[in-house]
Amino acid sequence: MTTDATPATDRFVGAKVILTCGDSILVMRRDDIPAIRWPGQWDLPGGKRERDESPVECALRELAEETGLHLSPGRLLRGEPRPSASRPGRTGWYFVAEITPLEAASARLGDEGSELRLMPLADFLADPQAIAPFRRIVREMLGR
């Protein structure tokens, strides 16, 4: 996994985690607030970078805040920088991690979002309420 100090890591704006569990992924429904981007749509856990966090630190902090899941850095199977879906012209990091059914069942929604769901991957990829750029990234990173 590449996370060395490069322009992509120095200037990234946030990180997301694709959490797989068998043939499903853990997703969260965004709050249905018109003032936010993609209100009410299915999202991947993750969010904005704080201070001088590395991509891994950002991804794992956001994951814990949004789902209550605390993964070690070694659980991240793959990570790569890509154009940010929410900040055109900037870079975001996207990671893949596998969780167990017990971990998926123990996930709890944090202060943001209205629902966590273990969703069949095929359903997420076909759902018009799943954020379109994330459907594409999930498809590419998981080879679907």
Side-chain angles (χ1 to χ4, degrees):
M1 176 169 44
T2 303
T3 57
D4 296 336
T6 64
T9 58
D10 291 342
R11 299 179 44 207
F12 79 100
V13 295
K16 295 279 186 182
V17 184
I18 302 166
L19 290 171
T20 64
C21 183
D23 291 332
S24 297
I25 63 173
L26 187 67
V27 294
M28 58 184 288
R29 187 177 294 279
R30 292 177 62 80
D31 289 315
D32 197 4
I33 301 170
I36 66 171
R37 192 158 197 173
W38 304 304
Q41 291 190 305
W42 292 110
D43 194 358
L44 301 171
K48 292 181 185 177
R49 178 186 197 184
E50 291 183 0
R51 297 171 299 283
D52 62 349
E53 287 179 312
S54 71
V56 168
E57 291 167 336
C58 177
L60 295 177
R61 176 189 50 76
E62 284 285 344
L63 179 63
E65 289 176 2
E66 294 182 350
T67 68
L69 296 174
H70 297 272
L71 302 184
S72 67
R75 299 273 308 271
L76 298 176
L77 305 174
R78 181 175 175 199
E80 59 187 59
R82 290 172 169 257
S84 171
S86 61
R87 306 265 314 267
R90 302 297 300 268
T91 299
W93 272 81
Y94 300 86
F95 294 91
V96 175
E98 187 168 338
I99 58 173
T100 67
L102 185 59
E103 287 172 318
S106 72
R108 297 290 176 259
L109 197 59
D111 292 341
E112 297 177 6
S114 61
E115 179 184 356
L116 273 177
R117 181 181 294 178
L118 190 59
M119 181 182 286
L121 178 59
D123 291 357
F124 177 81
L125 295 175
D127 192 329
Q129 286 300 302
I131 297 171
F134 298 148
R135 287 195 321 253
R136 179 182 48 77
I137 290 167
V138 166
R139 186 176 287 112
E140 291 170 359
M141 289 189 73
L142 297 182
R144 303 293 174 125

